[in-house]
Amino acid sequence: MSKSIKLAILGLGTVGTGVLDLLKDNLKELKRRSGHDIVITQVGTRRQRDDIDPAIKQNSDLMAIAESDDVDIVVEVIGGMTVAKDVIIHAIKNGKHVVTANKALLAEHGNEIFALAEEQNVHVAYEASVAGGIPIIKVLREALAANKVEWLTGIINGTGNFIMSEMRDKGRDFDDVLAEAQELGYAEADPTFDVEGIDAAHKLALLASIAFGIPLQFDKVYCEGITNITLQDVTYAEELGYRIKHLGFAVRRYDDQEADTAERELAGIELRVHPTLIPEDKLLANVNGVKNAVLVNSHPLGQTLYYGDGAGAGATASAVMADVMDLIRVLTVKDGHHVPHLAFMPNQLSDTPILASDQMITGYYLRLEAKDTPGVLADVTRILSDAGINIDAILQKPAHQKGQVPIIILTLPVIESNMNSAINKIEALGAITTDVVRIRLHELD
């Protein structure tokens, strides 16, 4: 039997307006898919808008909306941490299901929010919080439910990807591209969250929890931005067959990486966001502009790549309404079952440790500026060898200024504490004239 499902949309910015437009354009299709009418009864907005259907109540009192009898599902797209958290908790306590795009809020307070939702027997859906319109949350929670995720990585911030793409494709400097990204609306006036990797770290915390069945632990994500990436390094990477991307990684680490799968003991989980060299022929290396992509390696499926628009009104509204459709099924099917918020049953979340940054294992790109004197390269390679670091490639460039020779070294994977020690010793050499530039490297095999 058909019934009306009543929505409230809190926030009428880009995403909230996108949801309104999507409902207007695709309402018949949504009804065919759900079997029910979908009605927006209220919108939360600070100022009255003339372009809103008069049948929809415009209300600036968000708490009143969250407890209203004419609301079944609250869609929170106001962003931020304080007001959004308060209104979501109030909605949950009043028995409302919630859809949110607020990755920062969930990454930092999701454990509390999801626990309260379980207690109140309501659901918090958040597909739009990661990678825009790419259904990566649903993929990890449902489509890959029979798989064991070994690692995932992705371009999960479009602003950073736009900057790195423009630097490589057009030979532009970081500051120049950032200014354009701000003009185009890809970056905020204060771009810190994007260029320093904080936005990507919020999203990675969510992906890792779903992939591995661990509590949300944003505070343990290692985070490094792209502000120090130079055109020089982008060019050298290209010469060596690599491209630099700003990636998030969530990786299961084992005590013996070479042992048979059944015999390996889990050492911990790496959670990290940083610039990374990846081979130029990999699909992920060819995701450009503001697009997002997530690469998942799972057993037994292997590698799968999910690509699309990571932001924007249409992409985010698509993800928001997909969550609404799922919640409609929960509301209208007797004894409807829902997928747990973090994919695993709440009492089955693991306390697997998150490894410290100096325990990470990656390959490295190292760039040194050295005096043009005999024996420098031999000293550097000896230090690396003594630290158990194997060299994969060396590129020595002509002196770009009198007496200064750039040396580029690629290494095989090594534990970061060993690399830290080696770099300290290299920088102490009298022939090394600047700090060593290091960028992590992954083959994505």
Side-chain angles (χ1 to χ4, degrees), residues 221-240:
V221 180
Y222 171 81
C223 194
E224 182 180 317
I226 57 174
T227 53
N228 292 324
I229 299 295
T230 67
L231 182 57
Q232 185 180 21
D233 291 315
V234 171
T235 302
Y236 289 157
E238 194 84 3
E239 285 186 44
L240 290 160

Side-chain angles (χ1 to χ4, degrees), residues 5 52 89 98-99 142 176 192 208 223 231 243 248 272 288 313 356 375 401 414 432:
I5 305 299
I52 302 296
I89 287 176
V98 174
V99 174
E142 299 178 39
D176 177 39
T192 303
C223 194
L231 182 57
R243 293 179 181 173
R272 43 193 170 86
N288 296 314
Q401 53 182 308
V414 59
I432 302 301

Side-chain angles (χ1 to χ4, degrees), residues 329-347:
R329 297 181 184 107
V330 171
L331 282 165
T332 57
V333 176
K334 184 179 180 181
D335 299 324
H337 173 71
H338 79 284
V339 180
H341 289 106
L342 294 175
F344 292 74
M345 300 306 294
N347 63 353

Side-chain angles (χ1 to χ4, degrees), residues 130-131 134 136 140 152-156 207 284 287 292-296 304-308:
V130 180
I134 305 171
I136 188 61
L140 290 171
L152 62 83
T153 183
I155 298 165
I156 46 181
L207 293 178
L284 196 61
V287 174
N292 280 198
V294 179
L295 177 65
V296 182
T304 50
L305 182 71
Y306 307 90
Y307 164 88

Side-chain angles (χ1 to χ4, degrees), residues 153-347:
T153 183
I155 298 165
I156 46 181
N157 179 273
T159 302
N161 198 44
F162 173 78
I163 291 171
M164 297 308 304
S165 299
E166 288 289 301
M167 289 177 72
R168 181 184 65 82
D169 292 343
K170 300 179 182 177
R172 301 170 63 188
D173 289 324
F174 175 87
D175 290 339
D176 177 39
V177 183
L178 175 58
E180 182 184 358
Q182 290 171 315
E183 291 175 9
L184 293 171
Y186 298 154
E188 301 290 340
D190 178 359
T192 303
F193 267 46
D194 293 323
V195 300
E196 296 296 351
I198 300 168
D199 175 77
H202 282 139
K203 297 169 183 175
L204 185 72
L206 287 165
L207 293 178
S209 291
I210 304 163
F212 302 139
I214 58 176
L216 289 154
Q217 296 170 80
F218 165 73
D219 59 325
K220 295 181 181 177
V221 180
Y222 171 81
C223 194
E224 182 180 317
I226 57 174
T227 53
N228 292 324
I229 299 295
T230 67
L231 182 57
Q232 185 180 21
D233 291 315
V234 171
T235 302
Y236 289 157
E238 194 84 3
E239 285 186 44
L240 290 160
Y242 292 86
R243 293 179 181 173
I244 302 176
K245 293 292 185 181
H246 200 197
L247 300 180
F249 283 89
V251 182
R252 290 187 198 263
R253 267 272 308 284
Y254 298 93
D255 288 326
D256 184 355
Q257 292 288 127
E258 305 301 323
D260 292 339
T261 300
E263 299 174 359
R264 292 187 296 182
E265 292 291 330
L266 187 62
I269 291 169
E270 296 181 5
L271 297 181
R272 43 193 170 86
V273 173
H274 50 71
T276 312
L277 272 74
I278 56 176
E280 63 184 359
D281 61 349
K282 297 291 186 180
L283 287 173
L284 196 61
N286 293 280
V287 174
N288 296 314
V290 294
K291 297 292 187 180
N292 280 198
V294 179
L295 177 65
V296 182
N297 187 47
S298 62
H299 176 77
L301 181 58
Q303 291 191 12
T304 50
L305 182 71
Y306 307 90
Y307 164 88
D309 285 336
T316 311
S318 170
V320 166
M321 285 308 301
D323 279 341
V324 169
M325 296 290 280
D326 279 347
L327 292 180
I328 288 173
R329 297 181 184 107
V330 171
L331 282 165
T332 57
V333 176
K334 184 179 180 181
D335 299 324
H337 173 71
H338 79 284
V339 180
H341 289 106
L342 294 175
F344 292 74
M345 300 306 294
N347 63 353

Side-chain angles (χ1 to χ4, degrees), residues 2 26-38:
S2 177
N26 292 357
L27 188 58
K28 289 183 179 179
E29 195 75 1
L30 293 169
K31 183 174 181 179
R32 288 178 61 211
R33 289 179 181 273
S34 68
H36 302 279
D37 289 320
I38 303 172

